[in-house]
Amino acid sequence: MDLLTIIGNITIVIGALVFATAALGVLRFPDAYMRVSAVGTAGGVGIVLIVAGALALQPSIPNVVKVVLILVVHLASSAVGTMAIARATYITRTPLEHFEFDELAEATPEHDVEEEDLSTERGAAERRS
Amino acid sequence: MIGVDLGILIIGVACLGSAYRILRGPTQADRAVAGDLLLFGFVGLIALFGVRMANEYTFDIVLVAALVGFLSALSLARALTRGKR
Amino acid sequence: MSAALLPLFVAVPLMMAALLVIVGDRRVIHTVGLLGTMIAAVGAAVALVIEFRSGGAIAHGISSWPFGIAIPFVADMFTALMLVVTGLLTIVCSWFAIASGRAANVYFAPLVLVLTAGVNGALLTADLFNLFVFIEVMLLPSYGLFVLAARHKGTLQQVAGARLYVTLNLLTSTVFLIGVGFIYGTAGTVNLAELAGLATTDPTVAISGAVCLFALAIKASVVPVHGWLAAAYPATSPAITALFSGLHTKVAIYGIYRIYAVVFDGDSRWLWIGVTLFCLTMVIGVLGAVGEKTTRSILAFHMISQIGYILLGVALFTFAGLTAGIFYLLHHMIVKASLFLSTGAVEVRYGTGEIGKLSGIAKREPVIAVAFFIAALSLAGLPPFSGFVAKFTLILASVEAGQIAAVVVMLLVSLVTLLSMLKIWNGVFWGDSKSSEKTSTSNADDDAPAASPADGDLPEASPSGTAAASTSGRKQSVAEPASVAQSSGGVATKEAPTASATRADPETRASSATAVAERPRIGMALAGPAVFTAATTLGLGLGAELLLGLSATAAEGLLDTTAYVQAVMGS
Amino acid sequence: MVIALLTCFVSPLITKFLGRNAGWVLALPLLGAAVLAVSAFADAARSGSADSSGSPVVQQWVPWMPTVDVGLGLRMDGLALVFTLLVLVIGALIMVYSTRYLEPVGKHGTFYLLMTGFAAAMLALVLADDLIVLYVAWEATTLCSFFLIARSGAGAREPAIRTLLVTVAGGLLLLAAVTVMIIATGTTRLSDILVDPVWSANGALTTAVAVLIVMAAFTKSAQFPFQAWLPDSMVAITPVSAYLHAAAMVKAGIYLLLRFSPVFADVSVWNVMLVTAGLITALFGAIAALRRYDLKELLAYSTMSQLGLLVTMIGIGTPEALKAAVIHTIAHALFKSALFMFVGVIDHSAHTRDMRELAHMKLRMPVTATAMGLAAASMAGVPLLLGFVSKETMLKAFLDAPGPAWVPWVVTAAAAVASIFTFAYSARLVLGAFGGREDKNSEESEDVVREASPAFWGAPVLGATAGLVLGVTPFLLDKLVTVGATASAGEEVEAHFALWHGLVPELFVSLTVIAIGTMLVLARHRVHHAMAPYDFPISGLDVVDTAREQTIRFGGVVGGWTGSIAPRRHLSIPAVALIVIAALAALTIDDLPAVVGEPSDPLDWVLVVLIACGVVAMMQAKTLIAAIVVTGVVGFGMTVWFLQLGATDVAITQLLVEILTVCVMVLLLRRLPTTFEKTPPRQHVIPLLVAGGAGLATTVGVWALTGRREMSPASEYFLTEGYNETGGTNLVNTILVDFRALDTLGELTVLGVAGITIAALLRARKPSPERSANIQDHSPLIDARDNTVFVRTAAKLMAPIIVAGSLILLLRGHYEPGGGFIAALVGGAGFALAYLAAPSDRSARVQMPYLLLIGLGVAVGVGTGFLGYLDGSFLRPLHPEIFGFQTTTALVFDVGVYLAVIGVILASFNLLGRPPKRGGQPLAGGSDPGAPTHESEVSDAPTAGEKRAEGEPPTSGSTSSEHSRDHANNPEESDEVNAR
Amino acid sequence: MTVAITAGLLVFGAVYLMMKREMLRVILGFILLGHAGNIVLMAAGGTSRRDLPYGSPENLSTIADPLPQAFVLTAIVIAFSITIVMLVLAVTGNDDDDTAATAQEVQE
Amino acid sequence: MSWLTWPFRCIGFFLWFAKEMVTSSAAVLKDNLTPGQDSTPGITAFDSQCRNDYEITLLAALITLTPGTLTLGLNSDSRVSQADVSGSSPAKTGPLTIYVHSLYSGSADATREELRDMETRMLRGIRREGAPS
Ligand code: NA
Ligand code: NA
């Protein structure tokens, strides 16, 4: 077993573990925003590591080119895709269950905040305190 | 190749976790984000199963899958807002 | 005909469909392209019939790949007859669709042509997977045709029917696909010639083939998987119901005949299943029919019943049985279309097919009435129409095969068939014509002239007769000099619901402001298809020998598949 | 004979010119045919052409359906001659009568057509030498009867239908008999069948056929228990009643019985059934006739009764009885048709035929009264009339009836009772018509009814007179009855009739009958009162009607089993059926071939578990988004499965299809509710059971039916020869574009048509309105233009990769994973990205002429196929060298595939994802306030590019600009134009 | 065996979903059924040989059967076409999909 | 001259970002693997100095890729209004506001500081002319 294979295997396992943390985040974080946050990172990076590790197992010039493309596409797409979901999460009034500060709510016109308050009682309570 | 098999198992378990979140919710956004992660996981699985089978076109598929994963994330976001951009 | 030309039965309609799509919305070109292609196809099919008049088969491996690799197209008498009749039906139904305004859009002609390509391909192919593909090629345009309507005039019922139709057919084809998979899994081939007789020796192939046959049975609407057809078919327009009744179920039946003959070699061990199921199909179908309340749902259930008769032929699997079955199949395609088209013409013009809402049509529309009655009697199996020959030969075959129970069922069912036909006759064609007036303007499907005057693609809706005649989609107004001559008010008043033409019945005048003059409203263009098919059933009854002889030749080809198999092997 | 058959075809023409007087002309060919028939028969008798029993025969045979050995066989023996003359002579009389019966003006074309048609059918029936022709003619008479009854007005419809149902039912029994006889004897030829040895050899068969024939004849001749239709059918006009329901059609059953008498006369079932039913009918009819006020109805019951006697005679089956049957048939035809016609005359003149009303009138109709009296007397069996002769013959036959000693007594007694009643109702008929009544209030209305014109009463008088003439000189009928009875007996029968036979027993019976009959007539009022309460509890009509209604009701129930238009039940039935098939297969197949190789890989289980979770999640999903996401899970799982099974192309395709499906679903999701409906837990049980069974069946099926054979020959060919034959290294792709290009052609057609279909669908019906999400409208994040910037930038980054990738995949498809489908799907993904990245639906850059692309795709595909003919076969790939490069037309084919796929994807995005044209929707946008209002969206302001696109149809090529001209005045079509 | 179980699972889910009332679930059921059909086709070629069918392979005994792959490709695309059609049907006559819709969801 | 150093600046930024990834990953992982939540989640409005779509997208993506931070969306109102005030050209010159969800930064200002640091490094790394003004 050559070095590249070993590196590849190790990278893959690390990537898988990073990915697993994302899954863990999705399972354990208390609100949707935190879950999205976890996915954006670990989902992107974990897969990148796995693909890189896979490249180490099947090294060839064309594959290197393809993997570079994959890295670019995947990092861009996972980040952008996650942001799209994050924004959608917010504008569809998904409650922000935990927060210490919320400058977005401050920037939202009052009457809309009122509406939001109705939908997220807990958020309103925290804001009052 | 133990790493590959291990990777497959880890990702597999992680995917099951995401699946749980998809069903459980509680918000639509939770389902969407878990779905997104799940699809990422499948990109990883494709890569790993591909190298494991010594499929010389593994990365072609992964490239396509990355693109597709992107589209699915965007679609999920669009689904959340019911078409509102 | 050179066997290498057989693919043209598929290629030419497809190409024409593509060209018409490219050409865009020019109705004249569409009409000419559609009918021209269909007539050519029928002509070629007739040539095939002549070629096979003493039996035989021709085959061609597409792209000239070797046997076992190429997808074979093969034709024998059975194929050729089916090609002729399906082609004729398509022409007749297209004619009706054009006359009823249903074809007045950019989609109709291409969809029908693709449907034709699919039907022809399904009839010609000797490769089971390719059969799956062609069934899909038939189905996709059918989904489109099912919902065709004037802009935004599609009804909820139409969509509901389409849902049922699509899902059932998808289920059917997926089951068929799985069956094909099993056949490939067990036999290692999907080529009918290579599969010949395998089901008799290898039980795993037999069960795989049974899955395929079952799928086709769903498609053919055999009891217990029959209900979908009766529910779905009346939901579309009359022209399309007629077209589908002649094509879809019949291709499935063709498939059952062919596969059972070739793959199962007519294995007599399983025939009792067929006899039982098909007798049940006759009974359940006819009972369903007699209980229905609209003309087309009655007719749709009849289709189920008659399918039992048709398939009994293959369940007997004797020379007489197959001959009778094939004759029945061909006769049924025509007579069923005739019934759908005559009641459809009434439905189109009077806006409803509901029994009780219509009456007295016979007095006003004697031509349609006669056409309907001929077809109805033919359906019930009364002489001297083709239905009699079909039923008689089938009963003869059943008696010969000792299936007395089947004979009893057939006799009883034909009595109930008559009963239900009389129900339509009594409910729609007899009686005072006044009650039909009220429904003629409201509650109308888009086919009806009264649907919407704003509808640009309805020929009848045009404000004046002259303007109407000048637009491209209005062939039929020109093509009915008889009715134009009869009507003093010209085309415009003829269709206009508030026309102030003379009213025969004073009571009508008093009761309904929307009443229409008591004179035929169904022009020859719209009545023509029904009359033509009714005449055909009479002709096939009196001149039964022609078709009977051809059916016998076709039956021989099924009884002894050597010619078919040899042709494929040599292709 | 042909003349008579042709008469019906010219009758409408004649009627058109002559109106009701056509009957005069039409009577001539019938009489002529009668003369011809007699002379032909006489010729035959002279020339000695005779059948086995020695009676002369005239015959002809024209093949009709040789395949089933059916020919238009006509054959006239003695029996046929009797009936032929009956049909023709009575027919001629009726035709003449009709000229005055019918209204002077009116449409009588169908009447004469049907009457002559009936005559022809009846003639064909009695002359048929082919069973099929016999049956056809039998049914033809039924149909003529139906129409003739039905055309008598609205009230006649129900009777017509009832009559039709009963007689058709009988016809079907006849058909059954016919087919059995044909199969048993191997011929359709009646004359051969009658002498076939099988009847003596196979008792059971003979009995079965006898029963069928008897039943068929009973329905036609209105015998118990099928008698009810006959009085019911009296709603028809009198000529019809006289001809069909007295003289001719009802005699068809008698003919049939007489015809088959030689075969079945020895079968006890035959005798028992005929005699029993005949006597019951005779008595029932006679008694019922006594209770009727309507003259016509009375005659109908009388007919029924007389037919019962005839059937009894045939049932006795002795030569004497058959002789009686023949002469009574003749006698009955004469007097009964005459009586009907007279009733018609009265009806016409007095405008009623109800005795109770006639009682108040004075009928000054001496000729009618006299002649009618004669006919009635004949019916009553009064001496000097033909009816007396026939009744004497009958009684003689009954007295000599074979079998146990009690038989003659019972039969004769019953016949005598029936005859007594006959006498009574004959008198009642005449007295009812002309007798008036000792009514106290007769001064109330004393309408005087005068005699009708001679042309009107001429025909019936002729009939009545014939009864008298032949009654006085019965020997004139000797020859006719001899040949007739000989034919029906199958042996030589000599008939000698005379007015006076001496003091034979039957004479005493006759006299007794007349005596008691006279007493009954004298005491007729008392008799009538005595019988009044005895109404029959069950009417035959009710039975028919009830049967009909119940059948219809039961039919509704049966239809209701599958009545739903919702797919669920219809879909579950096949699933259950599949389980049954699997179970049957499991029972049938005992040994399976061994499994070849190791079909599983340990890591397959990861996929099994993932897919299991996905499937369960799909079943559990309560929101649409969750369902769609987990559908993606299963789809991706399938992708990995395909990869795992060495199917790279399939995996890529699956992946792309999966995501495009999700994209389309999301387009539609906004029009659907957020969550699925909740079903109570117990409603899950049956679906779970069915689904579980189907799943198990599938697993067992796959396990048993796959993986148990070596590599298939085709597979071996592709692997070894694929590259050599096509030059392609991607063997899957070579199968797609070279070996099985036809499949692919079909597939690309399917795709293209899907695009056309959704266009048609959305044109026919607007999609349901959008439901907006609960959007935080005033959030700083709401601006779509700002917030799509990330996606747009990413899309810009990916666009070159997608375009290049799509092209590379297309070009390399023959060698490496790729090909038209995959390439186009990648391209489609690019369009999806462009769509998703756009700041508004309207500005999404997916507007392309999708229908044109679809059309081009299919055209290119088929066109490549045509190119193949250059090398001798459709779709044969060519390998031309272009600029020194070895190319293949398979690539062109792939381009076709590419175009079609892109077309359908674009169709989806354009039709589903973009708002409909604002200017192009006068109905939707103007008059329909419920239509989706995209304008409300902040960021939806059209861009410069959009304005151009909306203002005018895109001018992509000359075709579309021409369309815009075609539809300049029809803005509704504009989005369809855009599509091209 | 793994393939057989997968097929069974897919059919299980497919039939269950097809018996639901909402068109969308029925469609999802059909998507599963399509997968099942495809996996059956793959199984029909034999799942013991899984190497890629490219070029002119030397050792046939490990190469996957390319024919079912071609079948599946065709079937996938056909199923895709029909799925789109069904999806459109799901939104053009949605009276029976309305049950879960609340009043505010429907844009007036 | 600055474009000569551009590739090195790029790589330098990339390495810095990789380091950031590791450290913040560790924080998230630790929080996830230990019981309870010790996060201080909140949303911060961050006025970006990015000048074009590419820069803003990259910045947003990097924020999202960094464990613990997530870009929620973008608002250009202040930009537009500024352009409106000037009344001349529609060119957008004012700051774009990015809304960032952060988990472990403690406060909005702390988040802003971290983001500003990252943005500066990023712009220095990717702009050919060097650091932002
Ligand atoms: Na069908
Ligand atoms: Na992050």
Side-chain angles (χ1 to χ4, degrees), chain A:
Chain A
M1 198 188 279
D2 61 286
L3 186 64
L4 215 50
T5 312
I6 294 168
I7 292 174
N9 276 299
I10 291 172
T11 317
I12 286 170
V13 174
I14 292 172
L17 287 173
V18 171
F19 182 83
T21 61
L24 201 61
V26 163
L27 280 179
R28 290 208 47 203
F29 277 135
D31 77 1
Y33 297 91
M34 292 162 95
R35 293 179 191 134
V36 178
S37 188
V39 168
T41 305
V45 177
I47 300 304
V48 163
L49 288 173
I50 288 171
V51 172
L55 174 67
L57 298 179
Q58 279 187 339
S60 74
I61 299 297
N63 279 356
V64 170
V65 175
K66 287 174 195 169
V67 168
V68 168
L69 280 175
I70 291 169
L71 295 187
V72 173
V73 168
H74 186 78
L75 282 174
S77 68
S78 70
V80 171
T82 308
M83 291 189 289
I85 292 179
R87 172 175 173 263
T89 305
Y90 190 81
I91 65 170
T92 53
R93 301 177 191 275
T94 306
L96 180 64
E97 305 266 2
H98 297 272
F99 62 91
E100 307 286 325
F101 48 92
D102 184 356
E103 296 186 350
L104 189 47
E106 290 160 20
T108 307
E110 203 57 34
H111 64 275
D112 205 56
V113 175
E114 289 300 317
E115 267 184 62
E116 189 194 28
D117 283 350
L118 293 174
S119 59
T120 64
E121 281 177 31
R122 188 170 171 186
E126 288 192 16
R127 198 175 299 117
R128 271 194 299 275
S129 63

Side-chain angles (χ1 to χ4, degrees), chain D residues 723-739:
Chain D
Y723 174 71
N724 302 335
E725 289 287 338
T726 65
T729 50
N730 181 350
L731 297 179
V732 177
N733 187 266
T734 61
I735 296 175
L736 286 177
V737 298
D738 295 307
F739 296 112

Side-chain angles (χ1 to χ4, degrees), chain C residues 195-244:
Chain C
L195 289 167
L198 265 188
T200 56
T201 52
D202 185 343
T204 61
V205 176
I207 196 68
S208 309
V211 174
C212 288
L213 288 176
F214 171 68
L216 292 172
I218 305 176
K219 220 174 143 39
S221 76
V222 173
V223 165
V225 283
H226 63 286
W228 69 271
L229 185 138
Y233 267 41
T236 181
S237 65
I240 301 305
T241 312
L243 187 64
F244 286 7

Side-chain angles (χ1 to χ4, degrees), chain D residues 39 67 80 133 235 361 468 489 491 495 699:
Chain D
S39 70
T67 309
V133 177
V235 293
M361 302 179 183
L468 176 63
E491 59 186 274
T699 298

